[in-house]
PDB file of all heavy atoms in Angstrom:
ATOM      1  N   ASP A 374     -26.857 -21.288 -30.429  1.00  0.00           N
ATOM      2  CA  ASP A 374     -27.392 -20.481 -29.331  1.00  0.00           C
ATOM      3  C   ASP A 374     -26.364 -19.504 -28.778  1.00  0.00           C
ATOM      4  O   ASP A 374     -26.706 -18.560 -28.085  1.00  0.00           O
ATOM      5  CB  ASP A 374     -27.865 -21.388 -28.187  1.00  0.00           C
ATOM      6  CG  ASP A 374     -29.201 -22.028 -28.513  1.00  0.00           C
ATOM      7  OD1 ASP A 374     -29.806 -21.634 -29.527  1.00  0.00           O
ATOM      8  OD2 ASP A 374     -29.623 -22.921 -27.760  1.00  0.00           O
ATOM      9  N   ARG A 375     -25.097 -19.769 -29.036  1.00  0.00           N
ATOM     10  CA  ARG A 375     -24.058 -18.904 -28.467  1.00  0.00           C
ATOM     11  C   ARG A 375     -22.968 -18.710 -29.496  1.00  0.00           C
ATOM     12  O   ARG A 375     -21.978 -19.417 -29.496  1.00  0.00           O
ATOM     13  CB  ARG A 375     -23.501 -19.532 -27.186  1.00  0.00           C
ATOM     14  CG  ARG A 375     -22.924 -18.489 -26.261  1.00  0.00           C
ATOM     15  CD  ARG A 375     -22.411 -19.099 -24.995  1.00  0.00           C
ATOM     16  NE  ARG A 375     -21.035 -19.545 -25.166  1.00  0.00           N
ATOM     17  CZ  ARG A 375     -20.310 -20.045 -24.175  1.00  0.00           C
ATOM     18  NH1 ARG A 375     -20.825 -20.218 -22.991  1.00  0.00           N
ATOM     19  NH2 ARG A 375     -19.074 -20.399 -24.377  1.00  0.00           N
ATOM     20  N   THR A 376     -23.167 -17.720 -30.342  1.00  0.00           N
ATOM     21  CA  THR A 376     -22.283 -17.540 -31.493  1.00  0.00           C
ATOM     22  C   THR A 376     -21.133 -16.602 -31.157  1.00  0.00           C
ATOM     23  O   THR A 376     -20.816 -15.687 -31.913  1.00  0.00           O
ATOM     24  CB  THR A 376     -23.096 -17.006 -32.683  1.00  0.00           C
ATOM     25  OG1 THR A 376     -23.932 -15.939 -32.228  1.00  0.00           O
ATOM     26  CG2 THR A 376     -23.963 -18.088 -33.275  1.00  0.00           C
ATOM     27  N   SER A 377     -20.524 -16.830 -30.003  1.00  0.00           N
ATOM     28  CA  SER A 377     -19.417 -15.978 -29.569  1.00  0.00           C
ATOM     29  C   SER A 377     -18.176 -16.833 -29.364  1.00  0.00           C
ATOM     30  O   SER A 377     -18.259 -18.053 -29.322  1.00  0.00           O
ATOM     31  CB  SER A 377     -19.785 -15.295 -28.252  1.00  0.00           C
ATOM     32  OG  SER A 377     -20.132 -16.268 -27.296  1.00  0.00           O
ATOM     33  N   ASP A 378     -17.020 -16.182 -29.230  1.00  0.00           N
ATOM     34  CA  ASP A 378     -15.788 -16.860 -28.829  1.00  0.00           C
ATOM     35  C   ASP A 378     -15.607 -16.645 -27.336  1.00  0.00           C
ATOM     36  O   ASP A 378     -15.989 -15.589 -26.823  1.00  0.00           O
ATOM     37  CB  ASP A 378     -14.570 -16.264 -29.540  1.00  0.00           C
ATOM     38  CG  ASP A 378     -14.679 -16.368 -31.053  1.00  0.00           C
ATOM     39  OD1 ASP A 378     -15.578 -17.065 -31.545  1.00  0.00           O
ATOM     40  OD2 ASP A 378     -13.849 -15.738 -31.733  1.00  0.00           O
ATOM     41  N   GLY A 379     -14.998 -17.602 -26.657  1.00  0.00           N
ATOM     42  CA  GLY A 379     -14.857 -17.428 -25.214  1.00  0.00           C
ATOM     43  C   GLY A 379     -13.627 -18.079 -24.633  1.00  0.00           C
ATOM     44  O   GLY A 379     -12.972 -18.901 -25.275  1.00  0.00           O
ATOM     45  N   MET A 380     -13.286 -17.667 -23.407  1.00  0.00           N
ATOM     46  CA  MET A 380     -12.217 -18.298 -22.635  1.00  0.00           C
ATOM     47  C   MET A 380     -12.491 -18.051 -21.151  1.00  0.00           C
ATOM     48  O   MET A 380     -13.234 -17.146 -20.796  1.00  0.00           O
ATOM     49  CB  MET A 380     -10.833 -17.756 -23.026  1.00  0.00           C
ATOM     50  CG  MET A 380     -10.604 -16.276 -22.861  1.00  0.00           C
ATOM     51  SD  MET A 380     -10.222 -15.725 -21.190  1.00  0.00           S
ATOM     52  CE  MET A 380      -8.663 -16.522 -20.899  1.00  0.00           C
ATOM     53  N   PHE A 381     -11.905 -18.893 -20.305  1.00  0.00           N
ATOM     54  CA  PHE A 381     -11.996 -18.723 -18.846  1.00  0.00           C
ATOM     55  C   PHE A 381     -10.642 -18.347 -18.282  1.00  0.00           C
ATOM     56  O   PHE A 381      -9.630 -18.938 -18.666  1.00  0.00           O
ATOM     57  CB  PHE A 381     -12.430 -20.037 -18.168  1.00  0.00           C
ATOM     58  CG  PHE A 381     -13.914 -20.217 -18.061  1.00  0.00           C
ATOM     59  CD1 PHE A 381     -14.604 -20.950 -19.021  1.00  0.00           C
ATOM     60  CD2 PHE A 381     -14.635 -19.670 -17.014  1.00  0.00           C
ATOM     61  CE1 PHE A 381     -15.980 -21.139 -18.925  1.00  0.00           C
ATOM     62  CE2 PHE A 381     -16.010 -19.853 -16.909  1.00  0.00           C
ATOM     63  CZ  PHE A 381     -16.672 -20.591 -17.865  1.00  0.00           C
ATOM     64  N   PHE A 382     -10.619 -17.387 -17.363  1.00  0.00           N
ATOM     65  CA  PHE A 382      -9.445 -17.175 -16.523  1.00  0.00           C
ATOM     66  C   PHE A 382      -9.605 -18.037 -15.276  1.00  0.00           C
ATOM     67  O   PHE A 382     -10.727 -18.323 -14.854  1.00  0.00           O
ATOM     68  CB  PHE A 382      -9.343 -15.718 -16.080  1.00  0.00           C
ATOM     69  CG  PHE A 382      -8.929 -14.765 -17.170  1.00  0.00           C
ATOM     70  CD1 PHE A 382      -9.836 -13.859 -17.697  1.00  0.00           C
ATOM     71  CD2 PHE A 382      -7.630 -14.757 -17.648  1.00  0.00           C
ATOM     72  CE1 PHE A 382      -9.453 -12.961 -18.686  1.00  0.00           C
ATOM     73  CE2 PHE A 382      -7.236 -13.871 -18.641  1.00  0.00           C
ATOM     74  CZ  PHE A 382      -8.159 -12.969 -19.173  1.00  0.00           C
ATOM     75  N   GLN A 383      -8.488 -18.405 -14.664  1.00  0.00           N
ATOM     76  CA  GLN A 383      -8.517 -19.012 -13.333  1.00  0.00           C
ATOM     77  C   GLN A 383      -8.815 -17.897 -12.330  1.00  0.00           C
ATOM     78  O   GLN A 383      -8.425 -16.745 -12.553  1.00  0.00           O
ATOM     79  CB  GLN A 383      -7.149 -19.597 -12.976  1.00  0.00           C
ATOM     80  CG  GLN A 383      -6.696 -20.694 -13.892  1.00  0.00           C
ATOM     81  CD  GLN A 383      -7.128 -22.038 -13.361  1.00  0.00           C
ATOM     82  OE1 GLN A 383      -8.324 -22.363 -13.409  1.00  0.00           O
ATOM     83  NE2 GLN A 383      -6.197 -22.815 -12.867  1.00  0.00           N
ATOM     84  N   ARG A 384      -9.458 -18.264 -11.200  1.00  0.00           N
ATOM     85  CA  ARG A 384      -9.646 -17.260 -10.159  1.00  0.00           C
ATOM     86  C   ARG A 384      -8.260 -16.789  -9.682  1.00  0.00           C
ATOM     87  O   ARG A 384      -7.359 -17.623  -9.509  1.00  0.00           O
ATOM     88  CB  ARG A 384     -10.440 -17.868  -9.005  1.00  0.00           C
ATOM     89  CG  ARG A 384     -11.251 -16.840  -8.263  1.00  0.00           C
ATOM     90  CD  ARG A 384     -12.232 -17.459  -7.302  1.00  0.00           C
ATOM     91  NE  ARG A 384     -11.581 -18.412  -6.432  1.00  0.00           N
ATOM     92  CZ  ARG A 384     -12.108 -19.589  -6.095  1.00  0.00           C
ATOM     93  NH1 ARG A 384     -13.294 -19.945  -6.522  1.00  0.00           N
ATOM     94  NH2 ARG A 384     -11.456 -20.412  -5.304  1.00  0.00           N
ATOM     95  N   GLY A 385      -8.082 -15.477  -9.554  1.00  0.00           N
ATOM     96  CA  GLY A 385      -6.809 -14.923  -9.089  1.00  0.00           C
ATOM     97  C   GLY A 385      -5.653 -15.129 -10.034  1.00  0.00           C
ATOM     98  O   GLY A 385      -4.486 -15.072  -9.611  1.00  0.00           O
ATOM     99  N   GLN A 386      -5.946 -15.339 -11.304  1.00  0.00           N
ATOM    100  CA  GLN A 386      -4.894 -15.689 -12.275  1.00  0.00           C
ATOM    101  C   GLN A 386      -3.816 -14.611 -12.428  1.00  0.00           C
ATOM    102  O   GLN A 386      -2.656 -14.925 -12.667  1.00  0.00           O
ATOM    103  CB  GLN A 386      -5.527 -15.996 -13.647  1.00  0.00           C
ATOM    104  CG  GLN A 386      -4.512 -16.299 -14.728  1.00  0.00           C
ATOM    105  CD  GLN A 386      -5.100 -17.117 -15.857  1.00  0.00           C
ATOM    106  OE1 GLN A 386      -6.166 -17.713 -15.747  1.00  0.00           O
ATOM    107  NE2 GLN A 386      -4.390 -17.175 -16.961  1.00  0.00           N
ATOM    108  N   SER A 387      -4.220 -13.346 -12.323  1.00  0.00           N
ATOM    109  CA  SER A 387      -3.246 -12.247 -12.426  1.00  0.00           C
ATOM    110  C   SER A 387      -3.633 -11.193 -11.391  1.00  0.00           C
ATOM    111  O   SER A 387      -4.754 -11.206 -10.877  1.00  0.00           O
ATOM    112  CB  SER A 387      -3.290 -11.636 -13.831  1.00  0.00           C
ATOM    113  OG  SER A 387      -4.517 -10.936 -14.002  1.00  0.00           O
ATOM    114  N   PRO A 388      -2.710 -10.247 -11.095  1.00  0.00           N
ATOM    115  CA  PRO A 388      -3.060  -9.176 -10.148  1.00  0.00           C
ATOM    116  C   PRO A 388      -4.297  -8.403 -10.592  1.00  0.00           C
ATOM    117  O   PRO A 388      -5.128  -8.043  -9.763  1.00  0.00           O
ATOM    118  CB  PRO A 388      -1.808  -8.291 -10.145  1.00  0.00           C
ATOM    119  CG  PRO A 388      -0.693  -9.230 -10.508  1.00  0.00           C
ATOM    120  CD  PRO A 388      -1.284 -10.215 -11.473  1.00  0.00           C
ATOM    121  N   LEU A 389      -4.441  -8.173 -11.895  1.00  0.00           N
ATOM    122  CA  LEU A 389      -5.623  -7.460 -12.416  1.00  0.00           C
ATOM    123  C   LEU A 389      -6.897  -8.229 -12.087  1.00  0.00           C
ATOM    124  O   LEU A 389      -7.878  -7.649 -11.588  1.00  0.00           O
ATOM    125  CB  LEU A 389      -5.492  -7.280 -13.941  1.00  0.00           C
ATOM    126  CG  LEU A 389      -6.764  -6.822 -14.658  1.00  0.00           C
ATOM    127  CD1 LEU A 389      -7.092  -5.366 -14.332  1.00  0.00           C
ATOM    128  CD2 LEU A 389      -6.650  -7.014 -16.175  1.00  0.00           C
ATOM    129  N   ILE A 390      -6.876  -9.516 -12.363  1.00  0.00           N
ATOM    130  CA  ILE A 390      -8.073 -10.332 -12.138  1.00  0.00           C
ATOM    131  C   ILE A 390      -8.377 -10.429 -10.646  1.00  0.00           C
ATOM    132  O   ILE A 390      -9.524 -10.312 -10.229  1.00  0.00           O
ATOM    133  CB  ILE A 390      -7.902 -11.697 -12.818  1.00  0.00           C
ATOM    134  CG1 ILE A 390      -8.055 -11.478 -14.324  1.00  0.00           C
ATOM    135  CG2 ILE A 390      -8.904 -12.721 -12.296  1.00  0.00           C
ATOM    136  CD1 ILE A 390      -7.721 -12.633 -15.168  1.00  0.00           C
ATOM    137  N   GLN A 391      -7.339 -10.589  -9.859  1.00  0.00           N
ATOM    138  CA  GLN A 391      -7.517 -10.641  -8.403  1.00  0.00           C
ATOM    139  C   GLN A 391      -8.179  -9.361  -7.886  1.00  0.00           C
ATOM    140  O   GLN A 391      -9.110  -9.402  -7.081  1.00  0.00           O
ATOM    141  CB  GLN A 391      -6.141 -10.813  -7.743  1.00  0.00           C
ATOM    142  CG  GLN A 391      -6.182 -10.728  -6.231  1.00  0.00           C
ATOM    143  CD  GLN A 391      -5.732 -12.011  -5.583  1.00  0.00           C
ATOM    144  OE1 GLN A 391      -4.928 -12.759  -6.140  1.00  0.00           O
ATOM    145  NE2 GLN A 391      -6.253 -12.287  -4.412  1.00  0.00           N
ATOM    146  N   ARG A 392      -7.692  -8.212  -8.374  1.00  0.00           N
ATOM    147  CA  ARG A 392      -8.226  -6.926  -7.944  1.00  0.00           C
ATOM    148  C   ARG A 392      -9.712  -6.800  -8.305  1.00  0.00           C
ATOM    149  O   ARG A 392     -10.533  -6.370  -7.499  1.00  0.00           O
ATOM    150  CB  ARG A 392      -7.418  -5.805  -8.618  1.00  0.00           C
ATOM    151  CG  ARG A 392      -7.784  -4.422  -8.188  1.00  0.00           C
ATOM    152  CD  ARG A 392      -6.773  -3.417  -8.710  1.00  0.00           C
ATOM    153  NE  ARG A 392      -7.076  -3.009 -10.087  1.00  0.00           N
ATOM    154  CZ  ARG A 392      -6.165  -2.853 -11.041  1.00  0.00           C
ATOM    155  NH1 ARG A 392      -4.890  -3.101 -10.805  1.00  0.00           N
ATOM    156  NH2 ARG A 392      -6.524  -2.456 -12.239  1.00  0.00           N
ATOM    157  N   ILE A 393     -10.061  -7.218  -9.517  1.00  0.00           N
ATOM    158  CA  ILE A 393     -11.454  -7.134  -9.967  1.00  0.00           C
ATOM    159  C   ILE A 393     -12.326  -8.101  -9.155  1.00  0.00           C
ATOM    160  O   ILE A 393     -13.447  -7.757  -8.761  1.00  0.00           O
ATOM    161  CB  ILE A 393     -11.540  -7.416 -11.481  1.00  0.00           C
ATOM    162  CG1 ILE A 393     -10.857  -6.277 -12.250  1.00  0.00           C
ATOM    163  CG2 ILE A 393     -12.986  -7.586 -11.933  1.00  0.00           C
ATOM    164  CD1 ILE A 393     -10.652  -6.554 -13.731  1.00  0.00           C
ATOM    165  N   GLU A 394     -11.798  -9.269  -8.863  1.00  0.00           N
ATOM    166  CA  GLU A 394     -12.574 -10.241  -8.089  1.00  0.00           C
ATOM    167  C   GLU A 394     -12.813  -9.761  -6.657  1.00  0.00           C
ATOM    168  O   GLU A 394     -13.901  -9.962  -6.100  1.00  0.00           O
ATOM    169  CB  GLU A 394     -11.865 -11.606  -8.114  1.00  0.00           C
ATOM    170  CG  GLU A 394     -12.000 -12.259  -9.490  1.00  0.00           C
ATOM    171  CD  GLU A 394     -11.185 -13.523  -9.674  1.00  0.00           C
ATOM    172  OE1 GLU A 394     -10.180 -13.697  -8.961  1.00  0.00           O
ATOM    173  OE2 GLU A 394     -11.541 -14.324 -10.554  1.00  0.00           O
ATOM    174  N   GLU A 395     -11.811  -9.087  -6.078  1.00  0.00           N
ATOM    175  CA  GLU A 395     -11.996  -8.534  -4.728  1.00  0.00           C
ATOM    176  C   GLU A 395     -13.065  -7.443  -4.743  1.00  0.00           C
ATOM    177  O   GLU A 395     -13.893  -7.346  -3.846  1.00  0.00           O
ATOM    178  CB  GLU A 395     -10.668  -7.966  -4.196  1.00  0.00           C
ATOM    179  CG  GLU A 395      -9.755  -9.052  -3.651  1.00  0.00           C
ATOM    180  CD  GLU A 395      -8.319  -8.583  -3.441  1.00  0.00           C
ATOM    181  OE1 GLU A 395      -8.054  -7.356  -3.512  1.00  0.00           O
ATOM    182  OE2 GLU A 395      -7.459  -9.460  -3.220  1.00  0.00           O
ATOM    183  N   ARG A 396     -13.043  -6.640  -5.787  1.00  0.00           N
ATOM    184  CA  ARG A 396     -14.038  -5.561  -5.934  1.00  0.00           C
ATOM    185  C   ARG A 396     -15.441  -6.147  -6.039  1.00  0.00           C
ATOM    186  O   ARG A 396     -16.393  -5.678  -5.392  1.00  0.00           O
ATOM    187  CB  ARG A 396     -13.699  -4.746  -7.189  1.00  0.00           C
ATOM    188  CG  ARG A 396     -14.429  -3.447  -7.308  1.00  0.00           C
ATOM    189  CD  ARG A 396     -13.998  -2.732  -8.588  1.00  0.00           C
ATOM    190  NE  ARG A 396     -12.575  -2.432  -8.632  1.00  0.00           N
ATOM    191  CZ  ARG A 396     -11.880  -2.217  -9.763  1.00  0.00           C
ATOM    192  NH1 ARG A 396     -12.488  -2.265 -10.938  1.00  0.00           N
ATOM    193  NH2 ARG A 396     -10.604  -1.952  -9.712  1.00  0.00           N
ATOM    194  N   ILE A 397     -15.581  -7.175  -6.838  1.00  0.00           N
ATOM    195  CA  ILE A 397     -16.889  -7.819  -7.026  1.00  0.00           C
ATOM    196  C   ILE A 397     -17.368  -8.425  -5.706  1.00  0.00           C
ATOM    197  O   ILE A 397     -18.545  -8.312  -5.346  1.00  0.00           O
ATOM    198  CB  ILE A 397     -16.815  -8.902  -8.131  1.00  0.00           C
ATOM    199  CG1 ILE A 397     -16.528  -8.269  -9.497  1.00  0.00           C
ATOM    200  CG2 ILE A 397     -18.093  -9.728  -8.178  1.00  0.00           C
ATOM    201  CD1 ILE A 397     -16.172  -9.277 -10.591  1.00  0.00           C
ATOM    202  N   ALA A 398     -16.444  -9.046  -4.969  1.00  0.00           N
ATOM    203  CA  ALA A 398     -16.812  -9.681  -3.692  1.00  0.00           C
ATOM    204  C   ALA A 398     -17.367  -8.636  -2.718  1.00  0.00           C
ATOM    205  O   ALA A 398     -18.345  -8.887  -2.017  1.00  0.00           O
ATOM    206  CB  ALA A 398     -15.603 -10.400  -3.092  1.00  0.00           C
ATOM    207  N   ARG A 399     -16.761  -7.450  -2.714  1.00  0.00           N
ATOM    208  CA  ARG A 399     -17.264  -6.387  -1.834  1.00  0.00           C
ATOM    209  C   ARG A 399     -18.571  -5.822  -2.340  1.00  0.00           C
ATOM    210  O   ARG A 399     -19.486  -5.534  -1.567  1.00  0.00           O
ATOM    211  CB  ARG A 399     -16.226  -5.259  -1.715  1.00  0.00           C
ATOM    212  CG  ARG A 399     -15.098  -5.642  -0.781  1.00  0.00           C
ATOM    213  CD  ARG A 399     -14.193  -4.480  -0.509  1.00  0.00           C
ATOM    214  NE  ARG A 399     -14.826  -3.431   0.308  1.00  0.00           N
ATOM    215  CZ  ARG A 399     -14.163  -2.663   1.131  1.00  0.00           C
ATOM    216  NH1 ARG A 399     -12.869  -2.833   1.299  1.00  0.00           N
ATOM    217  NH2 ARG A 399     -14.774  -1.707   1.811  1.00  0.00           N
ATOM    218  N   LEU A 400     -18.665  -5.655  -3.645  1.00  0.00           N
ATOM    219  CA  LEU A 400     -19.881  -5.080  -4.233  1.00  0.00           C
ATOM    220  C   LEU A 400     -21.094  -5.957  -3.948  1.00  0.00           C
ATOM    221  O   LEU A 400     -22.166  -5.456  -3.611  1.00  0.00           O
ATOM    222  CB  LEU A 400     -19.691  -4.937  -5.753  1.00  0.00           C
ATOM    223  CG  LEU A 400     -20.895  -4.439  -6.553  1.00  0.00           C
ATOM    224  CD1 LEU A 400     -21.227  -2.992  -6.189  1.00  0.00           C
ATOM    225  CD2 LEU A 400     -20.623  -4.547  -8.064  1.00  0.00           C
ATOM    226  N   LEU A 401     -20.910  -7.262  -4.083  1.00  0.00           N
ATOM    227  CA  LEU A 401     -22.050  -8.193  -3.996  1.00  0.00           C
ATOM    228  C   LEU A 401     -22.114  -8.914  -2.653  1.00  0.00           C
ATOM    229  O   LEU A 401     -22.993  -9.775  -2.448  1.00  0.00           O
ATOM    230  CB  LEU A 401     -21.995  -9.199  -5.151  1.00  0.00           C
ATOM    231  CG  LEU A 401     -22.010  -8.546  -6.548  1.00  0.00           C
ATOM    232  CD1 LEU A 401     -21.884  -9.610  -7.636  1.00  0.00           C
ATOM    233  CD2 LEU A 401     -23.290  -7.718  -6.741  1.00  0.00           C
ATOM    234  N   GLN A 402     -21.172  -8.550  -1.731  1.00  0.00           N
ATOM    235  CA  GLN A 402     -21.155  -9.134  -0.391  1.00  0.00           C
ATOM    236  C   GLN A 402     -21.194 -10.662  -0.472  1.00  0.00           C
ATOM    237  O   GLN A 402     -22.006 -11.321   0.194  1.00  0.00           O
ATOM    238  CB  GLN A 402     -22.329  -8.618   0.446  1.00  0.00           C
ATOM    239  CG  GLN A 402     -22.420  -7.099   0.521  1.00  0.00           C
ATOM    240  CD  GLN A 402     -23.471  -6.634   1.499  1.00  0.00           C
ATOM    241  OE1 GLN A 402     -23.257  -6.568   2.705  1.00  0.00           O
ATOM    242  NE2 GLN A 402     -24.659  -6.327   1.008  1.00  0.00           N
ATOM    243  N   TRP A 403     -20.310 -11.196  -1.310  1.00  0.00           N
ATOM    244  CA  TRP A 403     -20.296 -12.644  -1.536  1.00  0.00           C
ATOM    245  C   TRP A 403     -18.847 -13.098  -1.569  1.00  0.00           C
ATOM    246  O   TRP A 403     -18.014 -12.433  -2.191  1.00  0.00           O
ATOM    247  CB  TRP A 403     -20.988 -12.968  -2.871  1.00  0.00           C
ATOM    248  CG  TRP A 403     -21.537 -14.350  -2.941  1.00  0.00           C
ATOM    249  CD1 TRP A 403     -21.081 -15.374  -3.729  1.00  0.00           C
ATOM    250  CD2 TRP A 403     -22.657 -14.880  -2.222  1.00  0.00           C
ATOM    251  NE1 TRP A 403     -21.846 -16.499  -3.544  1.00  0.00           N
ATOM    252  CE2 TRP A 403     -22.806 -16.229  -2.621  1.00  0.00           C
ATOM    253  CE3 TRP A 403     -23.527 -14.350  -1.262  1.00  0.00           C
ATOM    254  CZ2 TRP A 403     -23.818 -17.055  -2.095  1.00  0.00           C
ATOM    255  CZ3 TRP A 403     -24.521 -15.168  -0.746  1.00  0.00           C
ATOM    256  CH2 TRP A 403     -24.660 -16.495  -1.163  1.00  0.00           C
ATOM    257  N   PRO A 404     -18.514 -14.225  -0.884  1.00  0.00           N
ATOM    258  CA  PRO A 404     -17.097 -14.605  -0.773  1.00  0.00           C
ATOM    259  C   PRO A 404     -16.433 -14.799  -2.140  1.00  0.00           C
ATOM    260  O   PRO A 404     -17.017 -15.408  -3.038  1.00  0.00           O
ATOM    261  CB  PRO A 404     -17.149 -15.939  -0.013  1.00  0.00           C
ATOM    262  CG  PRO A 404     -18.480 -15.957   0.675  1.00  0.00           C
ATOM    263  CD  PRO A 404     -19.407 -15.172  -0.201  1.00  0.00           C
ATOM    264  N   ILE A 405     -15.224 -14.323  -2.256  1.00  0.00           N
ATOM    265  CA  ILE A 405     -14.446 -14.457  -3.492  1.00  0.00           C
ATOM    266  C   ILE A 405     -14.322 -15.943  -3.866  1.00  0.00           C
ATOM    267  O   ILE A 405     -14.360 -16.299  -5.045  1.00  0.00           O
ATOM    268  CB  ILE A 405     -13.073 -13.768  -3.288  1.00  0.00           C
ATOM    269  CG1 ILE A 405     -12.469 -13.315  -4.614  1.00  0.00           C
ATOM    270  CG2 ILE A 405     -12.114 -14.617  -2.511  1.00  0.00           C
ATOM    271  CD1 ILE A 405     -11.320 -12.324  -4.438  1.00  0.00           C
TER     272      ILE A 405
END
Side-chain angles (χ1 to χ4, degrees):
D374 283 351
R375 205 179 87 176
T376 46
S377 56
D378 301 349
M380 59 80 65
F381 272 96
F382 287 109
Q383 298 268 72
R384 209 169 51 221
Q386 177 157 344
S387 70
L389 168 71
I390 286 171
Q391 174 118 29
R392 185 170 84 222
I393 293 170
E394 287 172 336
E395 280 166 11
R396 193 180 300 158
I397 294 169
R399 283 188 69 149
L400 176 66
L401 302 177
Q402 306 188 82
W403 204 249
I405 205 165

